Amino acid sequence: MICIGLLQVNRLGIVAVSNSLPDEITCLAADRMLVFAATGRLISAFARNKEVVMHYNGHEQEVRLLLPLGDQLISADSGGDVIVWDVQSGEVYLRLHFDPSTFDVLAMMHPSTYLNKVLLGSSQGALQLWNIKTSKLLFTFAGWSAGVTVLQQSPAVDVVGVGTATGRIIIHNIRLDETLMSFTQDWGPITSLSFRTDGPPIVASGSPQGHIAFWDLERHQLVTQHRHAHRTSIAGATFLQGEPILVTNGADNAIKVWIFDQEGGGARLLRIRQGHSAPPTTIHHHGNDGKNILSAGQDGTLQSFSTVHERFNKNLGHGSVNKKKEKKKKKGLTYEELRLPAITAFSSSVTRQSDWDGIVACHRDRLATTTWNYQRCTMGAHHLQPPGSRRGAIATAVDITSCGNFVVIGSSCGRVDVYNLQSGLHRGCYGDDEKAHNGVVRGIATDTLNQLTLTTGSDWLLKFWRFKSKKLEEEMKLNAAPASMKLHRESGMLALALDDFTLVVVDIETRRVVRKFAGHHGNINDMTFSPDGRWLVTVAMDCTIRVWDLPSGSLVDCFLVATAPVSVSLSPTGDFLATTHVDSLGLYLWTNKSLCGPVGLRPLPADYQPVVETLPGVTVEETEQEVNSEEEEEEDVYQSAEQLGAELVTLSLLPESRWKSLLHLDEIKKRNKPVAAPAAPAAAPFFLPTVPGLTPRFATQTQTEHETQSKVLNWGVLSQRSEFICTLESALTTGSFDQPLRLLKDCGPAALSVELNSLAPEGGGARELLLVFIQMIDSMLASGRDFDLAHAYLALFLKLHLRSLSQDATAMEALNHLLSRLEKGWAELQASFDQSLCLLSYAKSALL
């Protein structure tokens, strides 16, 4: 995924991430409104650093320079074309063409206070000043017999900094065409220039070796230098406006912030945000919460990435041959000679990591393994190497015991050694003649209770050893040489990936093969178990990621990716799957859909063709698909059934405040009664009403409609019935009480009390309405729906009308029938409650 990230300098936290771009970004520029990025021949403009608002397409070669200038954008490509674009319309305002053999544009800048002027630098050394409004060449600078790589405006008007391919820095006055001073660095071409604007006259220059030099413009000398500021070439260096802070970045996938607060004008590293500068090869989740992923890359570093927030990321650094030698730089050792090669395998444990080192790593072409401390984020104190080791042997496999006290290490000569992690002392080895296998040890595992040690090697053997006595108990002959091994300690399932692209699963209790899987068409690079041991996830060089279900012994999921995955790790909580891929610097997270909703995991057929899945990231197409899918989901929202079964009791899902306080309305009204009577309004308003017109006149008071209306109410008004009563009467003939019940659900507690009061003859109703309401409650109880509302409405109804109902024989008969239905329903509920409580009590107390 290729995108643009906006970071905040004070913490280097990500503020925004743009949509994905189809190709690699060759250059980047920004103004106060838009961010411009060039990918190949296409230029894209991003608004709010997220969505693309404009495309500029007109170059025939790869764009390598961008310069925003007011309402225009200037771009230059490798073919010699310089195009001035109108930012708003996207149209070409001006097109200039240069012959690359005579003037190959490599640098471009806008001199301060030079209206509509652009200064171009070439690989031939010459500079040209152009007016982009009139399309005229104003002046040509002869140059300094070296290609121009960087042009940078200085704080002084008319003065620019020029960096050349020979390492020379020229401070030149373009108004007088006069060179004021020059410096020369010994590290090759100048890759970046930047001037301090907070006072001290300092210019910083970057080099392809990753060094940064700081030059004093007043004393014309080198102030200080930072060697190995980056592991690769300095791609950019910029001083913040008016602040003693320098921001640098390089191809080593790192952004660093330097602050100038040292004596003598030196800078120190203030903040850093970095990833792997070379593709990661091995990843494992660290801890039981699944929030941290340990990653070892080809750059030799060991890093921890957080799935919660990037501020929790850690860099454990690069291993060194000897930490004391690295500090003292003795015996003429260079910076690279002190560094250990890349990590090929590692194992981690959190059990005793607060007491001593909890990570052990194997390095490429080295027999000695190193320990690391996760909490201190540094390399540990021990280099574990077996005594009397064979020349040319290397460490190939490692595993830390579940207790965190011991580590078992296998080597290419067939040795399997045990070390104490606290002291780093050697505690023995497995096998006769100090040799466990007749070949390379390719996998090591220990069980949960430190009873068994499992080893496998290129001799096609899987061996079971006693951990304490180091005696061989049993060995198993495999069908092919194993490539790797993974043990799920909780279930005792051991998975082995063989060189014939097949998988076998061995039960370490019965020591038999319980599952065999075939389907990969390339070397199996890595595998991982789900937390419950039900799934086995494998990745291979055939670019597939497969999920095998162990209970059913079948393949339940499979998909293709663009590049082959080299390592995989499933979080201990089972929510995320992390993968790394060939020639990719990132770690990719996949969501476990089974945790978000029901997923049918059916066995896939033998001829199943996997679908190509895009690596996790945000693309324009995915955003449009998400919008469309959301619209479709809104149209086709799943509607749950009103009732799952007639024998079940279904609640109304209304808030408790709508029905729970019906019996306490009198207390609520009494509590909410105002303490003091409302005060009478003032006799006259502050502003007297006037009649509109040229001369101001006060309006005379007239009788309002309210005053002229008769105060004697019509009997028709009093006898008018509510909508609820009308629908209740019609429900007696139709037999459906859905409409009156729906009206009651929309009423609040006070309105509901008014409606039930109006059912009695004293409130304008009739005796028949009381009987119809009793029938409505009976139908609600018979259907089992709105169980809570039926009881609340019935309680309020009896509170209001029980005295009048007791004098009516028909009503009492209906109430007795309703009472029998209530008792029957509650008896069924009580039996279900008693059964559940009995089962729960047994489950708590019984010894299962």
Side-chain angles (χ1 to χ4, degrees):
M1 182 185 68
I2 301 171
C3 57
I4 303 172
L6 181 63
L7 281 77
Q8 205 170 18
V9 177
N10 58 356
R11 290 189 178 181
L12 289 183
I14 294 179
V15 177
V17 178
S18 71
N19 293 333
S20 180
L21 293 172
D23 202 354
E24 291 187 0
I25 299 174
T26 55
C27 56
L28 197 66
D31 59 10
R32 62 185 183 89
M33 294 296 293
L34 300 174
V35 177
F36 304 95
T39 56
R41 305 175 185 178
L42 180 66
I43 304 173
S44 303
F46 292 85
R48 297 182 294 276
N49 198 40
K50 185 172 180 61
E51 65 270 8
V52 178
V53 296
M54 183 68 69
H55 287 293
Y56 307 94
N57 197 348
H59 283 280
E60 298 179 356
Q61 300 294 330
E62 181 179 322
V63 180
R64 58 187 181 188
L65 293 174
L66 289 176
L67 177 63
L69 183 59
D71 295 333
Q72 283 84 30
L73 172 67
I74 307 172
S75 60
D77 60 22
S78 58
D81 286 334
V82 177
I83 301 179
V84 181
W85 308 85
D86 185 271
V87 173
Q88 297 296 330
S89 63
E91 298 178 353
V92 177
Y93 179 79
L94 175 65
R95 181 186 292 268
L96 301 174
H97 180 73
F98 298 90
D99 186 4
S101 61
T102 58
F103 194 88
D104 186 17
V105 180
L106 289 183
M108 182 167 52
M109 65 158 288
H110 166 61
S112 181
T113 71
Y114 283 58
L115 187 63
N116 300 321
K117 308 300 189 300
V118 175
L119 183 64
L120 305 177
S122 66
S123 60
Q124 289 77 15
L127 279 73
Q128 293 184 4
L129 184 64
W130 284 80
N131 188 320
I132 60 173
K133 188 172 183 179
T134 61
S135 182
K136 290 184 179 179
L137 175 62
L138 302 181
F139 192 78
T140 300
F141 302 89
W144 298 269
S145 303
V148 177
T149 57
V150 181
L151 290 174
Q152 182 65 34
Q153 174 68 49
S154 73
V157 180
D158 303 327
V159 179
V160 299
V162 182
T164 65
T166 59
R168 192 179 176 193
I169 304 169
I170 298 102
I171 309 301
H172 193 76
N173 189 315
I174 58 175
R175 187 179 185 88
L176 304 176
D177 191 15
E178 178 183 351
T179 299
L180 304 180
M181 65 190 77
S182 66
F183 309 99
T184 303
Q185 71 175 17
D186 300 330
W187 306 319
I190 305 297
T191 58
S192 60
L193 282 178
S194 184
F195 291 87
R196 283 187 68 172
T197 58
D198 62 319
I202 301 295
V203 59
S205 62
S207 68
Q209 284 76 24
H211 311 320
I212 304 176
F214 301 97
W215 311 86
D216 193 322
L217 300 179
E218 285 186 352
R219 294 182 291 176
H220 298 188
Q221 65 181 15
L222 178 68
V223 179
T224 183
Q225 59 182 350
H226 280 284
R227 291 181 174 269
H228 305 288
H230 287 268
R231 298 191 60 193
T232 58
S233 174
I234 303 293
T238 304
F239 278 102
L240 298 186
Q241 182 68 28
E243 297 184 34
I245 293 178
L246 176 69
V247 182
T248 62
N249 72 300
D252 56 351
N253 198 19
I255 298 177
K256 299 183 179 182
V257 179
W258 311 82
I259 185 169
F260 289 79
D261 58 357
Q262 303 292 310
E263 295 183 2
R268 64 177 176 89
L269 184 63
L270 180 63
R271 298 180 190 91
I272 181 172
R273 181 185 178 90
Q274 63 180 349
H276 286 290
S277 59
T281 56
T282 307
I283 58 173
H284 293 301
H285 276 85
H286 183 72
N288 298 322
D289 54 2
K291 296 180 180 179
N292 299 297
I293 304 174
L294 282 174
S295 172
Q298 297 178 10
D299 55 356
T301 60
L302 183 63
Q303 302 191 31
S304 174
F305 296 94
S306 173
T307 58
V308 178
H309 198 275
E310 64 272 2
R311 70 171 177 267
F312 300 120
N313 293 352
K314 295 182 179 181
N315 186 1
L316 279 70
H318 200 297
S320 61
V321 176
N322 191 312
K323 296 179 71 174
K324 295 181 180 180
K325 287 184 179 179
E326 186 181 18
K327 291 180 180 179
K328 297 180 180 180
K329 295 289 192 301
K330 287 185 176 180
K331 299 181 180 179
L333 294 176
T334 63
Y335 183 73
E336 294 296 333
E337 289 175 346
L338 290 172
R339 309 187 104 181
L340 288 173
I343 295 174
T344 56
F346 68 88
S347 179
S348 65
S349 175
V350 297
T351 308
R352 304 298 296 270
Q353 70 173 4
S354 59
D355 301 323
W356 49 76
D357 301 337
I359 304 173
V360 181
C362 302
H363 296 265
R364 182 184 301 148
D365 299 330
R366 284 184 61 88
L367 180 60
T369 57
T370 55
T371 60
W372 301 74
N373 193 292
Y374 184 81
Q375 292 188 340
R376 295 200 306 266
C377 297
T378 183
M379 184 179 169
H382 305 302
H383 285 254
L384 308 178
Q385 185 168 352
S389 56
R390 185 179 301 177
R391 185 180 181 89
I394 61 174
T396 55
V398 61
D399 186 51
I400 298 177
T401 58
S402 59
C403 62
N405 295 316
F406 301 97
V407 59
V408 186
I409 301 173
S411 61
S412 60
C413 61
R415 286 181 61 110
V416 177
D417 298 273
V418 183
Y419 300 87
N420 185 282
L421 271 178
Q422 182 181 10
S423 61
L425 298 177
H426 186 260
R427 294 303 184 189
C429 58
Y430 293 89
D432 299 332
D433 300 330
E434 299 183 350
K435 196 170 185 181
H437 288 271
N438 294 322
V440 180
V441 177
R442 295 185 175 177
I444 291 177
T446 57
D447 66 347
T448 308
L449 302 177
N450 288 356
Q451 298 296 318
L452 286 176
T453 301
L454 312 169
T455 63
T456 185
S458 58
D459 54 0
W460 296 28
L461 293 177
L462 171 63
K463 296 186 177 184
F464 299 83
W465 309 82
R466 297 304 298 178
F467 180 81
K468 251 185 180 179
S469 62
K470 299 176 179 57
K471 301 287 186 177
L472 179 64
E473 284 194 347
E474 191 176 342
E475 63 181 30
M476 180 184 299
K477 184 71 174 180
L478 302 174
N479 296 329
S484 59
M485 183 173 69
K486 189 75 173 181
L487 174 66
H488 188 261
R489 285 174 173 165
E490 289 75 11
S491 64
M493 292 296 155
L494 179 71
L496 295 102
L498 306 182
D499 286 344
D500 59 356
F501 313 151
T502 62
L503 293 157
V504 294
V505 180
V506 179
D507 188 348
I508 64 173
E509 296 294 333
T510 61
R511 300 177 186 179
R512 295 181 180 275
V513 176
V514 294
R515 290 291 184 271
K516 292 183 180 180
F517 300 113
H520 281 293
H521 303 287
N523 291 327
I524 300 174
N525 294 328
D526 199 4
M527 52 190 169
T528 181
F529 280 97
S530 62
D532 56 0
R534 183 183 181 90
W535 296 341
L536 177 63
V537 184
T538 58
V539 296
M541 290 303 294
D542 57 2
C543 298
T544 61
I545 300 177
R546 298 175 184 259
V547 181
W548 311 87
D549 187 69
L550 295 185
S552 63
S554 60
L555 177 69
V556 293
D557 194 14
C558 176
F559 58 91
L560 280 168
V561 289
T563 56
V566 295
S567 187
V568 64
S569 179
L570 188 60
S571 64
T573 55
D575 49 359
F576 290 114
L577 178 75
T579 60
T580 60
H581 299 261
V582 174
D583 296 334
S584 179
L585 298 180
L587 274 68
Y588 297 91
L589 295 181
W590 308 79
T591 305
N592 187 356
K593 289 185 178 180
S594 64
L595 299 181
C596 306
V599 177
L601 295 177
R602 300 177 181 177
L604 299 179
D607 56 348
Y608 177 75
Q609 296 296 328
V611 180
V612 178
E613 294 287 344
T614 307
L615 290 177
V618 180
T619 62
V620 179
E621 293 78 7
E622 289 180 353
T623 307
E624 295 176 353
Q625 291 176 2
E626 289 178 0
V627 173
N628 296 333
S629 63
E630 289 177 0
E631 294 177 355
E632 293 176 358
E633 289 177 359
E634 291 177 358
E635 296 176 358
D636 303 330
V637 177
Y638 172 73
Q639 296 291 340
S640 177
E642 293 185 359
Q643 191 175 19
L644 299 180
E647 71 280 0
L648 300 177
V649 169
T650 305
L651 302 181
S652 63
L653 299 182
L654 286 180
E656 291 184 354
S657 59
R658 301 287 293 274
W659 55 269
K660 205 171 184 179
S661 59
L662 290 178
L663 296 178
H664 309 286
L665 288 178
D666 297 337
E667 299 177 5
I668 295 174
K669 290 179 180 179
K670 185 178 180 181
R671 184 186 60 190
N672 296 338
K673 184 178 179 180
V675 178
F686 185 80
F687 295 102
L688 297 177
T690 58
V691 177
L694 297 178
T695 58
R697 289 185 298 109
F698 293 106
T700 59
Q701 294 184 353
T702 59
Q703 285 187 334
T704 61
E705 182 182 354
H706 178 71
E707 294 175 352
T708 58
Q709 186 178 1
S710 175
K711 296 183 178 180
V712 179
L713 297 179
N714 189 4
W715 174 251
V717 176
L718 290 177
S719 63
Q720 185 177 3
R721 297 190 174 187
S722 65
E723 183 181 1
F724 167 69
I725 295 179
C726 295
T727 55
L728 193 62
E729 290 177 344
S730 62
L732 185 60
T733 57
T734 60
S736 175
F737 295 94
D738 293 339
Q739 184 63 24
L741 181 60
R742 191 177 300 110
L743 293 175
L744 287 183
K745 287 182 178 180
D746 295 336
C747 296
L752 186 63
S753 177
V754 173
E755 292 287 355
L756 296 188
N757 269 316
S758 63
L759 295 177
E762 297 84 2
R767 186 177 64 87
E768 290 78 9
L769 290 177
L770 297 176
L771 296 177
V772 176
F773 186 83
I774 294 175
Q775 293 181 15
M776 186 185 76
I777 299 297
D778 185 68
S779 68
M780 293 173 63
L781 295 175
S783 64
R785 292 162 51 187
D786 302 319
F787 190 75
D788 48 353
L789 292 185
H791 286 73
Y793 293 167
L794 179 61
L796 180 61
F797 177 76
L798 294 177
K799 179 182 178 181
L800 297 175
H801 307 295
L802 183 59
R803 185 181 298 274
S804 60
L805 290 174
S806 62
Q807 301 174 2
D808 191 344
T810 307
M812 290 302 298
E813 183 181 355
L815 288 176
N816 289 329
H817 176 72
L818 189 62
L819 177 62
S820 62
R821 188 180 294 278
L822 279 171
E823 291 176 348
K824 181 181 178 182
W826 276 109
E828 294 177 355
L829 280 178
Q830 188 65 38
S832 300
F833 290 155
D834 293 342
Q835 183 180 2
S836 300
L837 290 174
C838 180
L839 182 62
L840 182 61
S841 177
Y842 174 74
K844 283 183 176 180
S845 59
L847 296 177
L848 299 178

